Amino acid sequence: MARLTYLDHAATTPLDERVLEAMLPYLRERWGNPSSLYSHGRVARRALDESRDTVAQVLNCRPSEVLFTSGGTESDNLAIKGVAFARRGDGDHIVTTKIEHHAALRTCEWLEQRGGFRVTYVGVDRYGVVDLAELERAVGPGTILVSVMMANNEVGTIQPVADAAAIAHRHGATFHTDAVQAAGALEIDPNALGVDLLSLSGHKIYGPKGVGVLYVRRGTPLLADAHGGGQERGLRAGTENVAAVVGMAEALRFAEDERPSRNQHDIALRDRLIEGMLAAVPGARLTGHPTLRLPNSASFVFEGTDGESILMDLDQYDICASSGSACTSGTLEVSHVLTALGLEDDLARGSVRLTTGRATTAEGVEHLLSVMPDVVARVRSIMPMLLGVREEAGVDR
Ligand code: PLP
């Protein structure tokens, strides 16, 4: 089988062998329920406690401020709905940005449509940096929550989260950040950032899928979403997934310990990807910020193409990449992030995201760069046909 060139680490990462080893005892012999009083349960409880301590150490916070969840999506949901409903008496207004992950964006939309809240979606500049002046204008006396992601998953742009948190706090609003993509690449210190809530996910940092963290600063008003046995200080009921929690904590610890060397590795590959792509492919454009971007993230648009067609073509070469646009049930959806950056639909349609990781090699990057000109040319040549088929099917471009 040809070797896989995996350039989609923002989608998910492989499980670190060391993390797997740490998890295995809790899937085999130490399978007790952490809420049970006998020693078989207490062993599991100890693993949970130790994992919480590990996460707290990395985040430089108290263990009681660490909640384990089922992933980034649940952390975002719990943070945003939990604060919204807990602070309803103080106001009904939420402020977020146009470039959040759907886990935050759809939650805000749901609160607007079903919860009776008002939401303001703040814009970004052409590089995807949130407009702090607009944020300042948006936040007012009735604002109870501001949510701004730490780094964007599609274009990799790093956000001025500490400044955004300061604005929120000046107006008495609680502040949440989605740090799912930032973890492992940037320092994640809720105190230094001045944030009240922060979301993390295991599978983006070589940990298991289906586990995450929500940091909740002591004293932050938060209502539970899942009710039941009172686990996680009553804020997230349900028997804990001990093995996954152990894996999450280990993955986060390794990510923090190895951050400098991982970043150095990624930056070299990312910069080669960007420079090589812009030189090799006519009509290629970098999206996101030229320097304020995640160390492993290179994102582009290719004029006159379609991102999904490029991905399918790359798959023939065993290259895995991702696109912001998606053809769902015959409709071509353009990425809300690229639209917020001011890109026309025709250009945004041709988006491709390449994200490197620990196992990415210089050869892998050169392999991608060597096939990309042909792939883009081929997709360009079939575009009239693709658009014709869509038009014929009555699909709105
Ligand atoms: N937030 C961001 C910025 C993400 O990139 C993702 C996943 O892609 C999520 C949240 C959702 O995390 P999970 O897959 O753990 O639910």
Side-chain angles (χ1 to χ4, degrees):
M1 199 178 107
R3 213 174 138 193
L4 196 70
T5 303
Y6 185 78
L7 290 169
D8 203 13
H9 290 81
T12 197
T13 55
L15 189 62
D16 186 318
E17 275 296 322
R18 299 167 297 180
V19 171
L20 174 63
E21 285 303 318
M23 291 170 65
L24 283 175
Y26 299 93
L27 292 166
R28 290 191 176 127
E29 59 273 21
R30 300 182 199 162
W31 42 262
N33 187 324
S35 298
S36 301
L37 294 179
Y38 39 75
S39 63
H40 190 53
R42 290 202 309 271
V43 168
R45 164 64 51 195
R46 200 169 316 124
L48 261 188
D49 291 346
E50 285 171 6
S51 299
R52 207 180 303 280
D53 289 347
T54 302
V55 173
Q57 240 168 31
V58 174
L59 300 185
N60 189 24
C61 69
R62 296 180 175 88
S64 59
E65 294 174 316
V66 175
L67 286 188
F68 290 111
T69 67
S70 67
T73 301
E74 188 191 333
S75 292
D76 285 352
N77 270 262
L78 178 56
I80 295 169
K81 288 183 204 154
V83 171
F85 288 119
R87 294 204 56 187
R88 197 164 213 166
D90 301 332
D92 65 349
H93 184 226
I94 296 166
V95 176
T96 188
T97 80
K98 290 182 177 167
I99 57 153
E100 297 300 307
H101 188 272
H102 281 140
L105 219 46
R106 296 270 186 259
T107 303
C108 288
E109 287 165 11
W110 183 86
L111 285 169
E112 226 178 342
Q113 288 155 14
R114 300 292 179 103
F117 291 89
R118 292 177 298 126
V119 182
T120 303
Y121 301 89
V122 172
V124 294
D125 68 12
R126 67 197 173 107
Y127 297 127
V129 180
V130 65
D131 184 337
L132 288 176
E134 191 181 330
L135 184 81
E136 178 96 55
R137 285 195 300 276
V139 181
T143 309
I144 49 176
L145 174 68
V146 176
S147 181
V148 177
M149 73 195 323
M150 220 172 142
N152 182 263
N153 47 298
E154 283 187 38
V155 294
T157 304
I158 298 167
Q159 303 299 329
V161 163
D163 294 338
I167 292 172
H169 288 153
R170 265 207 303 282
H171 296 272
T174 302
F175 188 87
H176 165 251
T177 190
D178 175 336
V180 166
Q181 292 291 342
L186 308 179
E187 187 184 8
I188 309 288
D189 183 333
N191 281 314
L193 291 167
V195 306
D196 302 307
L197 303 113
L198 180 145
S199 305
L200 297 172
S201 170
H203 73 106
K204 311 287 186 179
I205 52 169
Y206 304 92
K209 293 173 180 58
V211 65
V213 160
L214 180 63
Y215 158 83
V216 187
R217 180 180 298 284
R218 189 157 72 161
T220 304
L222 190 74
L223 278 190
D225 197 24
H227 307 277
Q231 289 91 346
E232 297 295 298
R233 296 194 293 113
L235 288 168
R236 201 268 177 179
T239 302
E240 301 87 343
N241 185 348
V242 180
V245 163
V246 167
M248 170 84 219
E250 282 296 279
L252 190 64
R253 186 168 67 81
F254 286 128
E256 182 56 20
D257 289 351
E258 296 166 9
R259 188 154 57 88
S261 58
R262 288 189 193 181
N263 280 350
Q264 198 182 13
H265 169 82
D266 279 324
I267 287 170
L269 295 168
R270 176 202 67 186
D271 288 353
R272 169 66 191 135
L273 260 176
I274 294 175
E275 169 249 334
M277 190 73 82
L278 298 180
V281 184
R285 263 214 241 169
L286 182 72
T287 54
H289 199 282
T291 53
L292 279 178
R293 61 187 307 132
L294 287 173
N296 75 337
S297 174
S299 53
F300 305 91
V301 283
F302 299 94
E303 247 172 64
T305 68
D306 165 68
E308 288 210 325
S309 301
I310 293 179
L311 301 192
M312 284 188 284
D313 216 308
L314 285 176
D315 190 35
Q316 310 291 312
Y317 297 94
D318 291 306
I319 297 171
C320 308
S322 141
S323 172
S325 46
C327 191
T328 34
S329 55
T331 317
L332 196 84
E333 252 182 54
V334 168
S335 146
H336 66 285
V337 175
L338 297 180
T339 301
L341 264 63
L343 266 73
E344 298 293 329
D345 281 7
D346 274 358
L347 200 52
R349 185 170 42 204
S351 75
V352 174
R353 176 188 72 184
L354 303 161
T355 43
T356 62
R358 286 167 58 202
T360 309
T361 59
E363 293 73 47
V365 166
E366 295 309 321
H367 175 46
L368 179 274
L369 290 174
S370 70
V371 304
M372 205 64 191
D374 281 353
V375 168
V376 169
R378 205 155 35 235
V379 171
R380 275 197 186 122
S381 73
I382 61 163
M383 278 310 279
M385 186 195 70
L386 272 181
L387 293 175
V389 169
R390 285 195 185 120
E391 240 158 52
E392 227 167 76
V395 172
D396 187 9
R397 284 175 52 200

